[in-house]
Amino acid sequence: MAASSTLTYSLLSLLTFVHFTLAHEHHDELTEAEANRPTDAILWIHIVLQAMVWGVIFPIGMVLGITRSRWHVPLQSAGFVLTAGGYILGHSHGGRMFPPSAHEAFASVLFAPIAVQLLLGIYLKLHINEASIRPYAVRLHGVLGKAYPILGWTQILFGGIAYGSYCRGGNLEQCLAHYIMGSGFIAYSVIMAIILLVGEAWVRRSGRSPEWWDSWVIMLWGIVNTFTEHRGSAWSVKDMQHTILGVLWWAGGILGIFLARNNKRNVVPALILILTGWAMSEHAQHLMLSTKVHATFGYTLMLAGVTRMIEVVFFPGTSKSTDVDDDSTSDHTLAEPSPRFPSSRYLSPDDSGKVDASKAFRHLPPFLLVASGVIFMSATDEELQFASDSGMDHVTYILIMYSFAFLLYALIVFVIHLYPTTGRNAPAKGDGNSIQMTAPRSKWYSRVPNTAGGPLHVLGEDDEED
């Protein structure tokens, strides 16, 4: 414990020193020569390192914390050290210069959750005020840890925008629309994949079908879009299209909520995806490349809706029983059977082939949502103008985006897969599905006993791994 606390203090001191002592010269107005200098090796290392830390290491560490794996602390500590190193490299490179950006400002903002997380880690390792302060510290530690993937995704996007010098001046509103909506589709996919892979118990406890939650999100999103897509006095064609899409979403969301009552499934969210994809595929664009990319985005979103509709209507669930009041069953997910909920409880031998087919098919809607989000975020006027000026055709551009979508979805399902296979959720040894991420007990990672004469502290249901 002493070694762990010393390490945490050292990390906090290092990050504080880096934040307040490093300075990197930025200019509001760059000369053409400064902006067109080549990107040096130091900046490339900074980009790759920070993308790995915030896009891979911290999300994995978050899941290991939820499962109370003993690899959580060392992995997150390594992430903090690499973050400090990446920050130094980002302020030490030569060559190309950049004007002030959201990426630069948000890098400073990120030091607040990092510092709080480190201080909470120190406090939780001390095991003091067990009955009064500690429960709140555990919850705050968990909330901050679960926010890391969102913070990391935001900063990575800011970094890409800063590197391309995009979203400045009159292009800001279009960037916001593309990046927020594209990120929304990817977030929707993550939630869908979580329900698919590990959400069986949660769906049972909620008493709501997935479409009930979908419909609420769609309705609320539609209300916001209805009143935010038009500015000024004159109405453009795009203003009218975006505003009526908002109306479509809240109107369809209301219907979806009503049809999803009593834990029933329905196809309204899938139908809204199809209509939205069709509308976006018909958007008029200035460049032929842009027209093709937007059309592919629309077709991909339509396909996501079609596959979701097929999944809802034609593919069976895992439950033998259709009694919606039976909390031990669910027909909404195809999570892997566990010792507590074995496959024999849900399936007859004749159903196994159908369920295998369902498991394969049900990855299509979330993957296509990821692809839709990636393509839409890459479809701003500035990005497509750059691709056009580079002589790239729409086929190459779209295949690049689909390749990135494959990698991103692979990362998503891998991180989700860690939840049932690591830490306290790891299957018994010898199970081919297990990932052994629980280290042997040692003086560095063992819990500190409560020596005040009481019993040893035992992790409760709401505790996080320190």
Side-chain angles (χ1 to χ4, degrees):
M1 189 275 291
S4 178
S5 298
T6 302
L7 174 61
T8 309
Y9 275 120
S10 300
L11 290 173
L12 183 59
S13 301
L14 174 62
L15 290 170
T16 304
F17 172 79
V18 167
H19 179 51
F20 287 106
T21 61
L22 283 181
H24 183 58
E25 186 179 4
H26 291 270
H27 304 284
D28 292 325
E29 297 294 336
L30 295 180
T31 66
E32 185 175 351
E34 289 175 327
N36 292 328
R37 289 175 186 170
T39 303
D40 64 355
I42 293 178
L43 182 56
W44 281 120
I45 295 173
H46 161 79
I47 293 171
V48 174
L49 181 63
Q50 295 294 65
M52 288 297 299
V53 170
W54 288 93
V56 180
I57 293 178
F58 279 150
I60 291 176
M62 174 199 69
V63 175
L64 297 183
I66 295 173
T67 63
R68 294 169 193 138
S69 167
R70 296 190 178 279
W71 289 101
H72 168 65
V73 171
L75 187 64
Q76 295 298 78
S77 299
F80 291 142
V81 171
L82 293 175
T83 293
Y87 190 89
I88 294 171
L89 293 175
H91 288 74
S92 304
H93 68 87
R96 184 178 172 187
M97 303 295 294
F98 298 90
S101 64
H103 180 68
E104 175 193 1
F106 199 62
S108 299
V109 172
L110 286 177
F111 273 90
I114 289 174
V116 173
Q117 193 78 335
L118 286 171
L119 289 172
L120 286 171
I122 294 171
Y123 170 78
L124 293 175
K125 277 295 181 183
L126 295 176
H127 287 273
I128 57 178
N129 304 114
E130 296 277 323
S132 56
I133 299 176
R134 182 183 173 86
Y136 299 100
V138 167
R139 285 170 174 77
L140 180 58
H141 185 75
V143 169
L144 285 175
K146 294 176 180 66
Y148 269 46
I150 299 174
L151 297 174
W153 176 259
T154 303
Q155 181 65 336
I156 290 172
L157 290 183
F158 284 160
I161 291 169
Y163 186 80
S165 298
Y166 298 142
C167 305
R168 297 184 179 275
N171 295 304
L172 178 60
E173 290 185 358
Q174 187 200 47
C175 275
L176 289 175
H178 277 258
Y179 281 99
I180 292 174
M181 183 174 288
S183 297
F185 286 130
I186 294 173
Y188 186 8
S189 167
V190 171
I191 294 171
M192 190 182 296
I194 290 173
I195 292 176
L196 166 72
L197 296 175
V198 296
E200 182 82 22
W202 183 84
V203 172
R204 282 196 303 272
R205 291 196 303 269
S206 73
R208 307 286 187 180
S209 69
E211 287 71 39
W212 190 87
W213 301 101
D214 292 358
S215 298
W216 269 103
V217 172
I218 289 170
M219 186 191 72
L220 296 175
W221 193 356
I223 292 173
V224 173
N225 275 29
T226 299
F227 298 101
T228 58
E229 290 297 329
H230 169 65
R231 294 176 178 83
S233 56
W235 282 78
S236 68
V237 173
K238 287 188 178 182
D239 283 348
M240 288 186 285
Q241 287 181 349
H242 291 162
T243 300
I244 199 61
L245 276 175
V247 175
L248 174 78
W249 291 337
W250 63 253
I254 290 174
L255 175 61
I257 293 170
F258 179 76
L259 295 179
R261 72 194 189 282
N262 299 325
N263 204 21
K264 299 295 184 182
R265 305 204 69 178
N266 67 83
V267 298
V268 171
L271 183 59
I272 292 174
L273 287 179
I274 294 171
L275 292 172
T276 302
W278 168 77
M280 300 304 276
S281 70
E282 296 293 322
H283 261 327
Q285 306 295 327
H286 296 296
L287 296 173
M288 180 58 67
L289 174 63
S290 183
T291 300
K292 296 287 188 179
V293 171
H294 277 81
T296 303
F297 159 68
Y299 300 150
T300 303
L301 190 59
M302 291 170 68
L303 188 56
V306 169
T307 54
R308 182 68 187 275
M309 187 177 293
I310 293 173
E311 178 263 319
V312 171
V313 174
F314 295 106
F315 280 84
T318 58
S319 172
K320 289 181 181 178
S321 171
T322 58
D323 184 358
V324 297
D325 294 324
D326 182 1
D327 188 54
S328 68
T329 63
S330 170
D331 64 352
H332 300 323
T333 78
L334 287 174
E336 294 289 343
S338 66
R340 184 178 178 187
F341 301 103
S343 58
S344 59
R345 182 169 184 170
Y346 302 104
L347 305 172
S348 65
D350 295 336
D351 290 331
S352 59
K354 295 179 182 179
V355 171
D356 288 340
S358 297
K359 287 179 180 178
F361 187 86
R362 287 190 178 185
H363 279 289
L364 277 175
F367 167 72
L368 290 168
L369 282 172
V370 167
S372 300
V374 169
I375 294 173
F376 195 62
M377 285 191 294
S378 70
T380 64
D381 289 344
E382 292 174 295
E383 291 170 294
L384 293 174
Q385 186 65 58
F386 174 80
S388 179
D389 294 342
S390 302
M392 189 180 300
D393 70 320
H394 69 280
V395 175
T396 303
Y397 192 77
I398 290 168
L399 290 179
I400 291 173
M401 296 306 122
Y402 260 98
S403 299
F404 183 75
F406 279 119
L407 292 174
L408 182 57
Y409 190 66
L411 175 63
I412 290 169
V413 295
F414 173 74
V415 172
I416 294 173
H417 179 67
L418 290 175
Y419 177 78
T421 58
T422 63
R424 63 176 181 173
N425 297 335
K429 290 184 178 181
D431 189 327
N433 292 324
S434 65
I435 298 178
Q436 298 301 325
M437 295 289 288
T438 304
R441 297 186 68 87
S442 72
K443 64 179 181 181
W444 279 28
Y445 304 120
S446 297
R447 291 198 159 275
V448 178
N450 183 348
T451 56
L456 294 179
H457 175 75
V458 178
L459 279 174
E461 188 66 22
D462 296 326
D463 284 348
E464 297 280 347
E465 175 71 20
D466 299 348

